[in-house]
Amino acid sequence: MEKTDNLFTIGEFSQLTGVNAKSLRYYEKIGVLSPVWIDPDNSYRYYTLAQGSLVRSIQHYVEAGVPLELLHNYIDPATQRIHFREQIAYGIEAVKQKIEKLEQFLEKSEMLQQKMSRCERLRKSSRPVSEVLPEKHYLLTPAGDRITYRKYGTLSKRFLLDIKREGLTAGTEIGILSRRSGDSYQNYIFADIQPEERDIRNDRRYLHLPRQHYLSTVIPFPENGSVEKYFPEEKPDIILLTYLFTEDFDFRNPEYELRWSADPPEAAYHDVL
């Protein structure tokens, strides 16, 4: 009787398990499925029937999106015994973490849908839209005067890369913020940020805007970056210029939202949650 009569070649084992040979070789490479025997003369790989259970467990993790690279931690390298209890516990924890990330993805996607609907409403309105927006957390960097489109791009690039290097994550709002100081304005590049990522509330660049009333409209990027011409009489405390997040976004020629703080009107206004 041949030594391999009761063993499966890699091709036969592929047919048995439904897993292609390339994947079986990958499982071997990362240490989660070693052939029971490798012919020293021709390097042919052979597997046992019992190893089919291991392949099924690996596929179970593949279908759940569990990283396979750490499964070898639950296989004894000397005896190839599989510690299924610990391996399954690892898989359960990995799936829980994946579910948490998917829930975060859904929450963020729904938030982006709401933001998109709001921007489309601004886009279709012939007059400024009155609304209450939730609190905002921003990081600022000085931008100086006469913010041309090119200067805005250069400063934004530098600012966002600095934020990234600090281990922080900028949100979806990035733009120019003008803050009134007496009869003039101080201009900044701003990015919204999650304060819980790190204790940034004591950062000198940090600005918290409470939930408040705004007026918003859609404009092209203003000439020389100056938005004060839109306010010949009133002097809002805060003016923001940011990309308009539209359903069909043209990154070559984006539209911009001009938003400014305002006193609540006597009539009812839209409350953005």
Side-chain angles (χ1 to χ4, degrees), residues 69-93:
E69 288 75 7
L70 297 181
L71 291 182
H72 69 85
N73 291 336
Y74 308 98
I75 301 174
D76 190 308
T79 65
Q80 289 297 298
R81 284 179 176 269
I82 305 158
H83 306 301
F84 271 130
R85 182 180 295 277
E86 292 86 353
Q87 190 185 84
I88 290 171
Y90 158 74
I92 290 173
E93 183 59 31

PDB file of all heavy atoms in Angstrom, residues 69-93:
ATOM      1  N   GLU A  69      -4.516  35.792  10.074  1.00  0.00           N
ATOM      2  CA  GLU A  69      -3.087  35.765  10.394  1.00  0.00           C
ATOM      3  C   GLU A  69      -2.799  35.370  11.836  1.00  0.00           C
ATOM      4  O   GLU A  69      -1.717  34.855  12.138  1.00  0.00           O
ATOM      5  CB  GLU A  69      -2.444  37.132  10.111  1.00  0.00           C
ATOM      6  CG  GLU A  69      -2.299  37.471   8.634  1.00  0.00           C
ATOM      7  CD  GLU A  69      -3.604  37.872   7.974  1.00  0.00           C
ATOM      8  OE1 GLU A  69      -4.617  38.028   8.696  1.00  0.00           O
ATOM      9  OE2 GLU A  69      -3.623  38.043   6.737  1.00  0.00           O
ATOM     10  N   LEU A  70      -3.765  35.580  12.726  1.00  0.00           N
ATOM     11  CA  LEU A  70      -3.529  35.282  14.136  1.00  0.00           C
ATOM     12  C   LEU A  70      -4.055  33.902  14.551  1.00  0.00           C
ATOM     13  O   LEU A  70      -3.858  33.485  15.690  1.00  0.00           O
ATOM     14  CB  LEU A  70      -4.172  36.359  15.026  1.00  0.00           C
ATOM     15  CG  LEU A  70      -3.616  37.772  14.861  1.00  0.00           C
ATOM     16  CD1 LEU A  70      -4.307  38.729  15.813  1.00  0.00           C
ATOM     17  CD2 LEU A  70      -2.110  37.789  15.099  1.00  0.00           C
ATOM     18  N   LEU A  71      -4.693  33.187  13.638  1.00  0.00           N
ATOM     19  CA  LEU A  71      -5.224  31.877  13.991  1.00  0.00           C
ATOM     20  C   LEU A  71      -4.127  30.892  14.365  1.00  0.00           C
ATOM     21  O   LEU A  71      -4.351  29.955  15.132  1.00  0.00           O
ATOM     22  CB  LEU A  71      -6.052  31.296  12.832  1.00  0.00           C
ATOM     23  CG  LEU A  71      -7.391  31.978  12.520  1.00  0.00           C
ATOM     24  CD1 LEU A  71      -8.084  31.250  11.390  1.00  0.00           C
ATOM     25  CD2 LEU A  71      -8.276  32.027  13.756  1.00  0.00           C
ATOM     26  N   HIS A  72      -2.919  31.098  13.831  1.00  0.00           N
ATOM     27  CA  HIS A  72      -1.838  30.165  14.122  1.00  0.00           C
ATOM     28  C   HIS A  72      -1.466  30.188  15.600  1.00  0.00           C
ATOM     29  O   HIS A  72      -0.822  29.254  16.100  1.00  0.00           O
ATOM     30  CB  HIS A  72      -0.611  30.470  13.262  1.00  0.00           C
ATOM     31  CG  HIS A  72       0.079  31.745  13.621  1.00  0.00           C
ATOM     32  ND1 HIS A  72       1.024  31.830  14.613  1.00  0.00           N
ATOM     33  CD2 HIS A  72      -0.052  32.995  13.118  1.00  0.00           C
ATOM     34  CE1 HIS A  72       1.450  33.070  14.713  1.00  0.00           C
ATOM     35  NE2 HIS A  72       0.815  33.805  13.813  1.00  0.00           N
ATOM     36  N   ASN A  73      -1.865  31.257  16.313  1.00  0.00           N
ATOM     37  CA  ASN A  73      -1.586  31.319  17.748  1.00  0.00           C
ATOM     38  C   ASN A  73      -2.323  30.234  18.524  1.00  0.00           C
ATOM     39  O   ASN A  73      -1.989  29.963  19.681  1.00  0.00           O
ATOM     40  CB  ASN A  73      -1.982  32.688  18.311  1.00  0.00           C
ATOM     41  CG  ASN A  73      -1.090  33.809  17.808  1.00  0.00           C
ATOM     42  OD1 ASN A  73       0.050  33.562  17.412  1.00  0.00           O
ATOM     43  ND2 ASN A  73      -1.611  35.018  17.801  1.00  0.00           N
ATOM     44  N   TYR A  74      -3.312  29.642  17.892  1.00  0.00           N
ATOM     45  CA  TYR A  74      -4.127  28.628  18.570  1.00  0.00           C
ATOM     46  C   TYR A  74      -3.858  27.232  18.014  1.00  0.00           C
ATOM     47  O   TYR A  74      -4.671  26.328  18.167  1.00  0.00           O
ATOM     48  CB  TYR A  74      -5.609  29.006  18.444  1.00  0.00           C
ATOM     49  CG  TYR A  74      -5.857  30.421  18.891  1.00  0.00           C
ATOM     50  CD1 TYR A  74      -5.944  31.465  17.961  1.00  0.00           C
ATOM     51  CD2 TYR A  74      -5.933  30.743  20.241  1.00  0.00           C
ATOM     52  CE1 TYR A  74      -6.126  32.777  18.372  1.00  0.00           C
ATOM     53  CE2 TYR A  74      -6.117  32.049  20.660  1.00  0.00           C
ATOM     54  CZ  TYR A  74      -6.209  33.062  19.723  1.00  0.00           C
ATOM     55  OH  TYR A  74      -6.382  34.360  20.138  1.00  0.00           O
ATOM     56  N   ILE A  75      -2.721  27.092  17.356  1.00  0.00           N
ATOM     57  CA  ILE A  75      -2.286  25.789  16.835  1.00  0.00           C
ATOM     58  C   ILE A  75      -0.915  25.474  17.425  1.00  0.00           C
ATOM     59  O   ILE A  75       0.008  26.284  17.324  1.00  0.00           O
ATOM     60  CB  ILE A  75      -2.209  25.801  15.295  1.00  0.00           C
ATOM     61  CG1 ILE A  75      -3.582  26.135  14.693  1.00  0.00           C
ATOM     62  CG2 ILE A  75      -1.705  24.454  14.769  1.00  0.00           C
ATOM     63  CD1 ILE A  75      -3.555  26.297  13.187  1.00  0.00           C
ATOM     64  N   ASP A  76      -0.801  24.320  18.064  1.00  0.00           N
ATOM     65  CA  ASP A  76       0.476  23.922  18.649  1.00  0.00           C
ATOM     66  C   ASP A  76       1.475  23.652  17.528  1.00  0.00           C
ATOM     67  O   ASP A  76       1.242  22.769  16.692  1.00  0.00           O
ATOM     68  CB  ASP A  76       0.278  22.661  19.506  1.00  0.00           C
ATOM     69  CG  ASP A  76       1.507  22.331  20.339  1.00  0.00           C
ATOM     70  OD1 ASP A  76       2.613  22.263  19.754  1.00  0.00           O
ATOM     71  OD2 ASP A  76       1.358  22.117  21.552  1.00  0.00           O
ATOM     72  N   PRO A  77       2.589  24.374  17.472  1.00  0.00           N
ATOM     73  CA  PRO A  77       3.532  24.194  16.356  1.00  0.00           C
ATOM     74  C   PRO A  77       4.199  22.831  16.339  1.00  0.00           C
ATOM     75  O   PRO A  77       4.597  22.347  15.278  1.00  0.00           O
ATOM     76  CB  PRO A  77       4.551  25.313  16.592  1.00  0.00           C
ATOM     77  CG  PRO A  77       4.460  25.638  18.042  1.00  0.00           C
ATOM     78  CD  PRO A  77       3.025  25.422  18.418  1.00  0.00           C
ATOM     79  N   ALA A  78       4.310  22.192  17.507  1.00  0.00           N
ATOM     80  CA  ALA A  78       4.986  20.888  17.573  1.00  0.00           C
ATOM     81  C   ALA A  78       4.061  19.745  17.188  1.00  0.00           C
ATOM     82  O   ALA A  78       4.435  18.851  16.420  1.00  0.00           O
ATOM     83  CB  ALA A  78       5.546  20.664  18.974  1.00  0.00           C
ATOM     84  N   THR A  79       2.839  19.772  17.688  1.00  0.00           N
ATOM     85  CA  THR A  79       1.909  18.645  17.467  1.00  0.00           C
ATOM     86  C   THR A  79       0.829  18.951  16.441  1.00  0.00           C
ATOM     87  O   THR A  79       0.118  18.048  16.018  1.00  0.00           O
ATOM     88  CB  THR A  79       1.233  18.271  18.786  1.00  0.00           C
ATOM     89  OG1 THR A  79       0.406  19.373  19.222  1.00  0.00           O
ATOM     90  CG2 THR A  79       2.273  17.956  19.858  1.00  0.00           C
ATOM     91  N   GLN A  80       0.691  20.236  16.076  1.00  0.00           N
ATOM     92  CA  GLN A  80      -0.370  20.700  15.165  1.00  0.00           C
ATOM     93  C   GLN A  80      -1.763  20.516  15.762  1.00  0.00           C
ATOM     94  O   GLN A  80      -2.768  20.551  15.050  1.00  0.00           O
ATOM     95  CB  GLN A  80      -0.285  19.991  13.802  1.00  0.00           C
ATOM     96  CG  GLN A  80       0.893  20.421  12.959  1.00  0.00           C
ATOM     97  CD  GLN A  80       0.833  21.896  12.576  1.00  0.00           C
ATOM     98  OE1 GLN A  80      -0.084  22.334  11.899  1.00  0.00           O
ATOM     99  NE2 GLN A  80       1.818  22.666  13.034  1.00  0.00           N
ATOM    100  N   ARG A  81      -1.841  20.326  17.092  1.00  0.00           N
ATOM    101  CA  ARG A  81      -3.143  20.289  17.750  1.00  0.00           C
ATOM    102  C   ARG A  81      -3.786  21.675  17.671  1.00  0.00           C
ATOM    103  O   ARG A  81      -3.113  22.693  17.846  1.00  0.00           O
ATOM    104  CB  ARG A  81      -3.009  19.872  19.216  1.00  0.00           C
ATOM    105  CG  ARG A  81      -2.766  18.377  19.426  1.00  0.00           C
ATOM    106  CD  ARG A  81      -2.633  18.070  20.906  1.00  0.00           C
ATOM    107  NE  ARG A  81      -2.501  16.653  21.130  1.00  0.00           N
ATOM    108  CZ  ARG A  81      -3.514  15.818  21.338  1.00  0.00           C
ATOM    109  NH1 ARG A  81      -4.747  16.293  21.348  1.00  0.00           N
ATOM    110  NH2 ARG A  81      -3.319  14.519  21.531  1.00  0.00           N
ATOM    111  N   ILE A  82      -5.092  21.695  17.455  1.00  0.00           N
ATOM    112  CA  ILE A  82      -5.829  22.950  17.303  1.00  0.00           C
ATOM    113  C   ILE A  82      -6.617  23.209  18.581  1.00  0.00           C
ATOM    114  O   ILE A  82      -7.420  22.377  18.998  1.00  0.00           O
ATOM    115  CB  ILE A  82      -6.783  22.884  16.102  1.00  0.00           C
ATOM    116  CG1 ILE A  82      -6.013  22.496  14.840  1.00  0.00           C
ATOM    117  CG2 ILE A  82      -7.501  24.219  15.910  1.00  0.00           C
ATOM    118  CD1 ILE A  82      -6.892  21.910  13.771  1.00  0.00           C
ATOM    119  N   HIS A  83      -6.377  24.331  19.202  1.00  0.00           N
ATOM    120  CA  HIS A  83      -7.086  24.704  20.425  1.00  0.00           C
ATOM    121  C   HIS A  83      -8.354  25.463  20.027  1.00  0.00           C
ATOM    122  O   HIS A  83      -8.391  26.697  20.003  1.00  0.00           O
ATOM    123  CB  HIS A  83      -6.186  25.548  21.320  1.00  0.00           C
ATOM    124  CG  HIS A  83      -4.869  24.895  21.619  1.00  0.00           C
ATOM    125  ND1 HIS A  83      -4.768  23.670  22.249  1.00  0.00           N
ATOM    126  CD2 HIS A  83      -3.594  25.278  21.360  1.00  0.00           C
ATOM    127  CE1 HIS A  83      -3.492  23.336  22.384  1.00  0.00           C
ATOM    128  NE2 HIS A  83      -2.758  24.295  21.836  1.00  0.00           N
ATOM    129  N   PHE A  84      -9.381  24.692  19.693  1.00  0.00           N
ATOM    130  CA  PHE A  84     -10.585  25.281  19.120  1.00  0.00           C
ATOM    131  C   PHE A  84     -11.292  26.234  20.084  1.00  0.00           C
ATOM    132  O   PHE A  84     -11.855  27.245  19.661  1.00  0.00           O
ATOM    133  CB  PHE A  84     -11.558  24.192  18.660  1.00  0.00           C
ATOM    134  CG  PHE A  84     -11.330  23.742  17.241  1.00  0.00           C
ATOM    135  CD1 PHE A  84     -11.226  22.395  16.941  1.00  0.00           C
ATOM    136  CD2 PHE A  84     -11.233  24.658  16.211  1.00  0.00           C
ATOM    137  CE1 PHE A  84     -11.016  21.981  15.625  1.00  0.00           C
ATOM    138  CE2 PHE A  84     -11.033  24.251  14.904  1.00  0.00           C
ATOM    139  CZ  PHE A  84     -10.926  22.908  14.610  1.00  0.00           C
ATOM    140  N   ARG A  85     -11.317  25.927  21.389  1.00  0.00           N
ATOM    141  CA  ARG A  85     -12.034  26.790  22.327  1.00  0.00           C
ATOM    142  C   ARG A  85     -11.460  28.206  22.290  1.00  0.00           C
ATOM    143  O   ARG A  85     -12.196  29.189  22.164  1.00  0.00           O
ATOM    144  CB  ARG A  85     -11.961  26.216  23.744  1.00  0.00           C
ATOM    145  CG  ARG A  85     -12.738  27.057  24.777  1.00  0.00           C
ATOM    146  CD  ARG A  85     -12.636  26.450  26.161  1.00  0.00           C
ATOM    147  NE  ARG A  85     -13.293  25.158  26.216  1.00  0.00           N
ATOM    148  CZ  ARG A  85     -14.591  24.986  26.402  1.00  0.00           C
ATOM    149  NH1 ARG A  85     -15.380  26.041  26.529  1.00  0.00           N
ATOM    150  NH2 ARG A  85     -15.113  23.789  26.457  1.00  0.00           N
ATOM    151  N   GLU A  86     -10.123  28.305  22.400  1.00  0.00           N
ATOM    152  CA  GLU A  86      -9.489  29.619  22.371  1.00  0.00           C
ATOM    153  C   GLU A  86      -9.630  30.271  20.997  1.00  0.00           C
ATOM    154  O   GLU A  86      -9.826  31.485  20.883  1.00  0.00           O
ATOM    155  CB  GLU A  86      -8.003  29.493  22.738  1.00  0.00           C
ATOM    156  CG  GLU A  86      -7.744  29.109  24.189  1.00  0.00           C
ATOM    157  CD  GLU A  86      -7.780  27.602  24.411  1.00  0.00           C
ATOM    158  OE1 GLU A  86      -8.145  26.871  23.449  1.00  0.00           O
ATOM    159  OE2 GLU A  86      -7.452  27.164  25.514  1.00  0.00           O
ATOM    160  N   GLN A  87      -9.560  29.456  19.951  1.00  0.00           N
ATOM    161  CA  GLN A  87      -9.668  29.988  18.598  1.00  0.00           C
ATOM    162  C   GLN A  87     -11.063  30.565  18.353  1.00  0.00           C
ATOM    163  O   GLN A  87     -11.210  31.654  17.775  1.00  0.00           O
ATOM    164  CB  GLN A  87      -9.371  28.885  17.579  1.00  0.00           C
ATOM    165  CG  GLN A  87      -9.217  29.390  16.153  1.00  0.00           C
ATOM    166  CD  GLN A  87      -9.044  28.251  15.168  1.00  0.00           C
ATOM    167  OE1 GLN A  87     -10.020  27.666  14.713  1.00  0.00           O
ATOM    168  NE2 GLN A  87      -7.797  27.935  14.850  1.00  0.00           N
ATOM    169  N   ILE A  88     -12.073  29.849  18.814  1.00  0.00           N
ATOM    170  CA  ILE A  88     -13.448  30.326  18.635  1.00  0.00           C
ATOM    171  C   ILE A  88     -13.678  31.595  19.449  1.00  0.00           C
ATOM    172  O   ILE A  88     -14.348  32.539  18.987  1.00  0.00           O
ATOM    173  CB  ILE A  88     -14.448  29.223  19.011  1.00  0.00           C
ATOM    174  CG1 ILE A  88     -14.393  28.093  17.961  1.00  0.00           C
ATOM    175  CG2 ILE A  88     -15.870  29.782  19.096  1.00  0.00           C
ATOM    176  CD1 ILE A  88     -15.182  26.865  18.339  1.00  0.00           C
ATOM    177  N   ALA A  89     -13.120  31.648  20.670  1.00  0.00           N
ATOM    178  CA  ALA A  89     -13.260  32.851  21.496  1.00  0.00           C
ATOM    179  C   ALA A  89     -12.628  34.047  20.794  1.00  0.00           C
ATOM    180  O   ALA A  89     -13.170  35.168  20.812  1.00  0.00           O
ATOM    181  CB  ALA A  89     -12.611  32.628  22.867  1.00  0.00           C
ATOM    182  N   TYR A  90     -11.471  33.817  20.148  1.00  0.00           N
ATOM    183  CA  TYR A  90     -10.825  34.880  19.377  1.00  0.00           C
ATOM    184  C   TYR A  90     -11.727  35.329  18.235  1.00  0.00           C
ATOM    185  O   TYR A  90     -11.896  36.537  17.993  1.00  0.00           O
ATOM    186  CB  TYR A  90      -9.491  34.377  18.825  1.00  0.00           C
ATOM    187  CG  TYR A  90      -8.989  35.142  17.617  1.00  0.00           C
ATOM    188  CD1 TYR A  90      -8.453  36.415  17.743  1.00  0.00           C
ATOM    189  CD2 TYR A  90      -9.068  34.578  16.334  1.00  0.00           C
ATOM    190  CE1 TYR A  90      -8.005  37.110  16.633  1.00  0.00           C
ATOM    191  CE2 TYR A  90      -8.621  35.267  15.231  1.00  0.00           C
ATOM    192  CZ  TYR A  90      -8.093  36.530  15.378  1.00  0.00           C
ATOM    193  OH  TYR A  90      -7.658  37.215  14.281  1.00  0.00           O
ATOM    194  N   GLY A  91     -12.324  34.361  17.543  1.00  0.00           N
ATOM    195  CA  GLY A  91     -13.206  34.696  16.425  1.00  0.00           C
ATOM    196  C   GLY A  91     -14.410  35.502  16.862  1.00  0.00           C
ATOM    197  O   GLY A  91     -14.805  36.471  16.195  1.00  0.00           O
ATOM    198  N   ILE A  92     -15.012  35.129  17.997  1.00  0.00           N
ATOM    199  CA  ILE A  92     -16.178  35.854  18.503  1.00  0.00           C
ATOM    200  C   ILE A  92     -15.812  37.297  18.828  1.00  0.00           C
ATOM    201  O   ILE A  92     -16.534  38.237  18.470  1.00  0.00           O
ATOM    202  CB  ILE A  92     -16.752  35.148  19.747  1.00  0.00           C
ATOM    203  CG1 ILE A  92     -17.397  33.809  19.329  1.00  0.00           C
ATOM    204  CG2 ILE A  92     -17.770  36.021  20.467  1.00  0.00           C
ATOM    205  CD1 ILE A  92     -17.839  32.948  20.498  1.00  0.00           C
ATOM    206  N   GLU A  93     -14.680  37.488  19.501  1.00  0.00           N
ATOM    207  CA  GLU A  93     -14.255  38.839  19.861  1.00  0.00           C
ATOM    208  C   GLU A  93     -13.954  39.669  18.611  1.00  0.00           C
ATOM    209  O   GLU A  93     -14.306  40.860  18.539  1.00  0.00           O
ATOM    210  CB  GLU A  93     -13.019  38.778  20.765  1.00  0.00           C
ATOM    211  CG  GLU A  93     -12.548  40.127  21.263  1.00  0.00           C
ATOM    212  CD  GLU A  93     -13.595  40.880  22.062  1.00  0.00           C
ATOM    213  OE1 GLU A  93     -14.414  40.215  22.726  1.00  0.00           O
ATOM    214  OE2 GLU A  93     -13.588  42.127  22.017  1.00  0.00           O
TER     215      GLU A  93
END
